[in-house]
Structure formats: structure tokens, C-alpha cells
Amino acid sequence: MSVLTELLDLSDKSLYRAAAFLRSGGLVVFPTETVYGLGANALNPEACRRIFQAKGRPQDNPLIVHLACVEDLQHYTQPLTKEQKALMERCMPGPITFILPKSPIIPDLVTAGLPTVALRIPALPQARQLIAYAGVPVAAPSANRSGEPSPTTFEMAYEAMYGRVEAILKGSPCSVGLESSVVRMEKNLLELLRPGYFSLEELRYLGQDLGFKVMDSSHTPIKDTPPPSPGIKYSHYKPKTPLYLFSSLEALSSLPPTLSSPIRILYSREALTEKIGASPLHMKLLEGNTLEFKDLSEYARNLFIQFYQADREGIGTLLAWYPPPVGIGLALRNRLIKASEGKFV
Ligand code: TXA
Ligand code: MG
């Protein structure tokens, strides 16, 4: 690839410059609260085609269209009910994407030929400012190469997209660290298709008094036991370092000898409610090459960064705790299963 890439900060002047690239058919990588996005003018099919090329993404996977404010939602969907509008106003801006019947103005390439469009209003103010300056809706998948973990730092986004886009905006590490919750919205039904930071519990709470039924269709295994081997179709977000999951610290005391070292363990403090100390071996493991996060949010914020780091530091095996399906735990489980192809120790 040989596109000249400008590196820009998040000043007003830089956002304005990046917006001009978007308006003229260019690609811009920008931070959001979830992950970095790879943006193009959603109304320009040629510009959107370049997104698929830059990512190496199959064209049957539709893009999320990002907007600056809730007032703009109605331009890109079929007419909304009062309840639909009210719910979206409660949730947006935020780490959530709604799937709705599209208006004809959205090109088929963006929705991969589907009659629906995915709409999101990011919580990060500079992301909304960029979209407002562009004056067009911005189609943006995560800014990783297809199949790899989503970038949650400037460094990760730079490595994936330098030389493929007109500009990369440098923000802080993303505060959420996992992609938005994707929710299909019908007249009285909300269907969670991809879990994210915006939790199922929160969606139920906010949807309830507006008369919405909430369903989890994300197909994340919800039992505490390891799921049956899910197979290759789950591969996504994958680090190059072999990754295995563990449900309880107990499992660490009988690790298979075939695991390559050095081994790095990722878990959050919630995992410690189980009794530890019983085995000197797992105490030793936890003292060693281990990252303990203070809670599930910190775990989520750091997961993709740790995948990236492990690949660069020559870690032999990553062992990651598979948390309970509560709050952002549901999203962590979804990403962990896909990244590990469902492998548990
Ligand atoms: O947090 C996020 O959502 C990030 C940031 C950049 O906003 N974006 C993101 O985009 O994760 P992407 O392309 O990596 O994931 C979009 C997901 C895909 O799983 C896609 O299949 C689904 O949304 N999607 C998009 N349009 C859809 C539609 N019309 N119906 C069903 N699923 C759709
Ligand atoms: Mg993605």
C-alpha cells in the first residue's frame, strides 16, 4: 500500500483537517470510547469500498454508520416509533449500536445488501466533533486488519493502518476497550447480537418501561462450564500467541506440560473469590508473569492491548480467565471464546 498518511492530534484544527479528508473520499482512523475506527463517508460507495480493501474485510460483512447526534438518526432509517426514539435517546451517545430498517440514502455496499443499517453515536466528544465537521455520516469498522484484535491504542491503530489511510488521529487509549454492543431494534423487541460494554441488564432496565422485550441472541455460551469446542467459525480477535481460557484458578494447578513458556496469566480480582493458596504451584504462577486487573472493566479495557503486547514480547502462552456472564463479563466471554477458538486448559 502506498497512501501518504498524516498523523494528527485531536485539536480542533486537526479534526477539521481529518473531516476534509472524509468529505473528499479519504479514509481516516479515529479514536472512539470503544476501539479505534476506520472511517469513510458512508454516502460515498467508492470511499467505503476502500475500507474493505484497507482491512482485507470480506464484502458480506456490513459496516456501522457513525453519527454526531440523535437528531440525525431519523435521516438514515425508516420512520421511528416514539418508543424507539425515546430508547435511543436514553442510550446514545454511548458504546451501543442499533440495527434498524435503512433509508434508501444508505448505499447497499455499506449494509452488505441488507435492508437494515447499523447506527452508532460515539460517546467520545472528539469523535462526534469529527463527524459533525465532516457533515456526512461516517461508516467505520474497527481499524484492525480483518481477523486481528481491534486497536485500542494509537500505536495499535498505527501499526494496522499506516500507509493505507489518509490520516490517523492520535487519541488516548480507548476507555472501554471492547467494541460496542450491537442491538437489533424492532417495534417491541430488542435483540442483542454482539455484547459490549452497554450491558444486557442495562438494556433490559432502560427498555422495560417503554414496552420492549429484550432478547440475547449473541450466542455466547452462558453456562459456567466450558462450551463444546466451537470450531473455526469463531476465529476472530485472535492474537498470534496461543491463547487458552480458564474458568477457575483451580484449573491452573494442573496445566498441560505441552504449553510453551513463558506463560502469562490474565485475570481480574473477581476471580480471587475462589479459594486460592491450596496449591503452591498456582500461587507461584500468580506471583510470576501475571496481570491482575482490579475489575472486569479494567480487564476489558486491557484485553486487546495484552493480545498485542504478548505477540511483541515473545510470550509463549496466554492464559485468560473466563469471567461470569454478568455486565461486561458477557462481552469479555464473547471476545475470549472467539480469540481462543474456545480452547480451555
Ligand atoms: O465499537 C464499535 O462498534 C466499533 C467502533 C469503531 O465504533 N466498530 C466496530 O465495527 O466494531 P465492526 O465493523 O468491527 O463491527 C460491526 C459489527 C459486525 O459484527 C457487523 O456484522 C455488524 O456490526 N453489523 C453491521 N451492520 C449490520 C446489520 N445491518 N445487521 C446485522 N449486523 C450488522
Ligand atoms: Mg471489528
Side-chain angles (χ1 to χ4, degrees), residues 22-212:
L22 288 172
R23 262 198 312 278
S24 59
L27 299 182
V28 173
V29 170
F30 62 99
T32 77
E33 75 282 17
T34 58
V35 301
Y36 276 71
L38 167 60
N41 176 355
L43 303 181
N44 177 340
E46 257 336 292
C48 293
R49 205 180 304 281
R50 286 187 56 207
I51 290 182
F52 290 93
Q53 281 165 2
K55 265 185 83 83
R57 179 175 179 129
Q59 286 212 359
D60 61 357
N61 198 354
L63 306 175
I64 295 176
V65 174
H66 295 68
L67 305 174
C69 58
V70 287
E71 291 74 31
D72 287 349
L73 287 163
Q74 58 190 338
H75 303 310
Y76 306 104
T77 66
Q78 296 296 323
L80 298 164
T81 66
K82 201 161 80 264
E83 290 77 16
Q84 286 177 324
K85 270 191 204 150
L87 182 74
M88 286 195 282
E89 278 165 19
R90 286 181 186 182
C91 302
M92 294 167 132
I96 190 164
T97 296
F98 285 103
I99 312 262
L100 287 153
K102 79 178 189 84
S103 82
I105 191 178
I106 299 285
D108 285 339
L109 182 82
V110 169
T111 65
L114 293 172
T116 49
V117 61
L119 295 172
R120 161 157 147 77
I121 303 173
L124 189 78
Q126 293 91 340
R128 293 203 304 278
Q129 190 60 66
L130 170 71
I131 302 163
Y133 281 155
V136 291
V138 175
S142 48
N144 50 292
R145 305 269 301 144
S146 201
E148 292 182 359
S150 302
T152 53
T153 63
F154 166 74
E155 189 191 344
M156 291 165 79
Y158 174 91
E159 189 151 312
M161 289 298 153
Y162 188 78
R164 296 172 185 274
V165 299
E166 274 70 19
I168 303 178
L169 291 167
K170 181 174 183 176
S172 307
C174 302
S175 60
V176 169
L178 298 180
E179 304 82 352
S180 63
S181 310
V182 175
V183 179
R184 185 186 293 142
M185 183 184 245
E186 285 171 21
K187 203 162 153 258
N188 311 100
L189 179 70
L190 301 172
E191 211 182 332
L192 183 68
L193 302 183
R194 177 177 75 181
Y197 186 80
F198 206 103
S199 71
L200 194 60
E201 294 88 337
E202 210 171 345
L203 203 59
R204 283 205 180 102
Y205 177 77
L206 293 174
Q208 215 165 31
D209 59 308
L210 291 167
F212 288 98

Side-chain angles (χ1 to χ4, degrees), residues 229-252:
S229 176
I232 197 74
K233 66 176 192 287
Y234 286 115
S235 172
H236 197 12
Y237 313 111
K238 224 179 140 199
K240 294 183 187 72
T241 308
L243 167 70
Y244 294 87
L245 311 181
F246 60 95
S247 299
S248 76
L249 292 173
E250 226 74 279
L252 297 181

